[in-house]
Amino acid sequence: MAALGWLTPRRRSATARSVLAGEASAEAARKSSQEQEELDELAAAAAPDEPEEPAEPEFPVAGDTKAAAFFDLDNTVMQGAAIFHFGRGLYKRKFFERQELFRFAWQQAWFRLAGVEDPEHMQDARDSALSIVKGHRVAELMSIGEEIYDEYMAERIWPGTRALAQAHLDAGQKVWLVTAAPVEIATVIARRLGLTGALGTVAESIGGVYTGKLVGEPLHGPAKAEAVRALSAAEGLDLARCAAYSDSHNDIPMLSLVGHPYAINPDAKLRKHARERDWRLRDYRTGRKAAKVGIPAAAGVGALAGGAAAAIALHRRRH
């Protein structure tokens, strides 16, 4: 479960780690996209399952190959945290014990509520994730990811955000997920949605087996912006003509890179920032859920708590 991050060399500066993580994620995303090119073209040509969101008159511009769209995943494309749903699936398959699930849920909830990264706390989280996936094969996690998508994630995709992504695809533009989740699970989600590919946290592997090390750092905050910058340069994109979508103020660096930033289901800080800069806002939550926006990532915390309870109940029924 690489999305919590891994132990990274302390001698690197934060900026250097962000650049390394971004470049590694961009390289991995392009590779997976090329491998799926024929399937992606078929998916882009297919009609969307849900009604399209009314498009802005001037955007996206059909046939503009210098433009692309970048979508955050958690609470933007999908309700809740992808890594926690993935963790529920791994717990179900006995990758780790119940006490690890409690610990993982607490670490995620604390981070989302505090809104800051405490170095010692994050280091502990990285060590936990390291112990779970080290020694497992990449192909194994990819296969399990396909199953977990069907079990926990497919029904949590926001139809409104999905329609926005489809509008870009219909305009002939590439659409990328950008997430701190492991690039493997992010790639599964992107493929299942018919998107171009995914930028995600890259874990080191040798001979197809995870070493327990991270390439750079988790793709979070500034690292996402570096990934988008690196991919755009490699793809020959014009960032001023691109769009980015996110729910979190942590993604302001990524949103600020593009000419068309969107705040989707925004937290309080991003909503304020977006209004000050006249960015477009979309909120697909119902009244009760939207009211929780005053607590950072409240919907994500709810998913964590609910997922933990479900997994623990499952454990008790089995025993």
Side-chain angles (χ1 to χ4, degrees):
M1 273 176 349
L4 284 178
W6 313 83
L7 181 61
T8 54
R10 293 182 178 275
R11 67 176 182 275
R12 290 183 180 275
S13 67
T15 300
R17 292 200 305 271
S18 295
V19 172
L20 179 58
E23 291 177 347
S25 184
E27 182 178 354
R30 294 193 76 213
K31 181 179 178 181
S32 65
S33 173
Q34 290 167 359
E35 292 173 349
Q36 296 294 324
E37 185 174 354
E38 292 185 3
L39 291 177
D40 292 339
E41 289 177 357
L42 292 174
D49 294 331
E50 300 87 10
E52 289 190 20
E53 193 75 13
E56 300 290 340
E58 77 284 1
F59 191 80
V61 179
D64 186 358
T65 58
K66 291 290 184 180
F70 302 93
F71 284 78
D72 169 56
L73 179 57
D74 295 351
N75 294 319
T76 301
V77 171
M78 182 175 67
Q79 300 175 48
I83 186 55
F84 188 71
H85 297 313
F86 189 51
R88 291 172 64 188
L90 293 182
Y91 173 79
K92 177 181 177 181
R93 291 162 176 80
K94 301 185 181 300
F95 269 65
F96 54 93
E97 300 299 323
R98 181 173 57 174
Q99 59 268 28
E100 281 293 320
L101 183 68
F102 274 123
R103 183 182 184 189
F104 178 45
W106 165 245
Q107 288 166 340
Q108 289 288 293
W110 184 91
F111 169 70
R112 288 179 174 274
L113 286 171
V116 295
E117 293 183 358
D118 177 75
E120 291 185 4
H121 199 164
M122 292 302 292
Q123 185 65 64
D124 185 42
R126 291 173 187 180
D127 290 342
S128 297
L130 173 77
S131 66
I132 292 170
V133 301
K134 184 178 180 181
H136 286 280
R137 298 194 65 82
V138 174
E140 177 189 12
L141 270 294
M142 289 288 287
S143 177
I144 291 174
E146 295 280 358
E147 298 173 4
I148 293 174
Y149 178 85
D150 290 326
E151 291 172 3
Y152 299 114
M153 299 178 182
E155 64 183 11
R156 291 179 168 83
I157 302 300
W158 289 108
T161 311
R162 178 68 187 87
L164 289 173
Q166 188 63 47
H168 286 279
L169 293 171
D170 290 344
Q173 298 174 5
K174 293 184 176 181
V175 178
W176 304 84
L177 290 181
V178 189
T179 174
V183 68
E184 292 81 11
I185 189 63
T187 299
V188 167
I189 296 170
R191 183 186 305 126
R192 297 296 286 273
L193 293 176
L195 308 183
T196 306
L199 296 153
T201 296
V202 178
E204 182 185 75
S205 63
I206 297 178
V209 178
Y210 290 112
T211 66
K213 297 180 181 179
L214 189 70
V215 180
E217 63 181 15
L219 202 70
H220 175 76
K224 282 189 178 182
E226 293 298 339
V228 169
R229 197 191 309 275
L231 183 63
S232 297
E235 293 275 312
L237 301 174
D238 181 354
L239 285 171
R241 290 146 71 173
C242 292
Y245 301 78
S246 178
D247 73 299
S248 173
H249 68 280
N250 291 315
D251 288 339
I252 287 175
M254 177 181 74
L255 294 169
S256 299
L257 275 182
V258 301
H260 301 272
Y262 282 76
I264 306 294
N265 306 326
D267 62 29
K269 289 184 180 179
L270 177 57
R271 184 181 294 273
K272 181 176 183 294
H273 188 91
R275 283 176 172 168
E276 289 173 351
R277 286 156 181 77
D278 199 27
W279 290 356
R280 294 185 178 93
L281 289 91
R282 300 283 178 88
D283 201 325
Y284 299 116
R285 296 166 293 190
T286 58
R288 186 174 181 181
K289 290 181 179 178
K292 294 181 179 180
V293 80
I295 301 176
V301 175
L304 291 173
I312 292 166
L314 175 64
H315 175 90
R316 287 173 177 170
R317 285 199 300 271
R318 287 179 174 173
H319 296 80

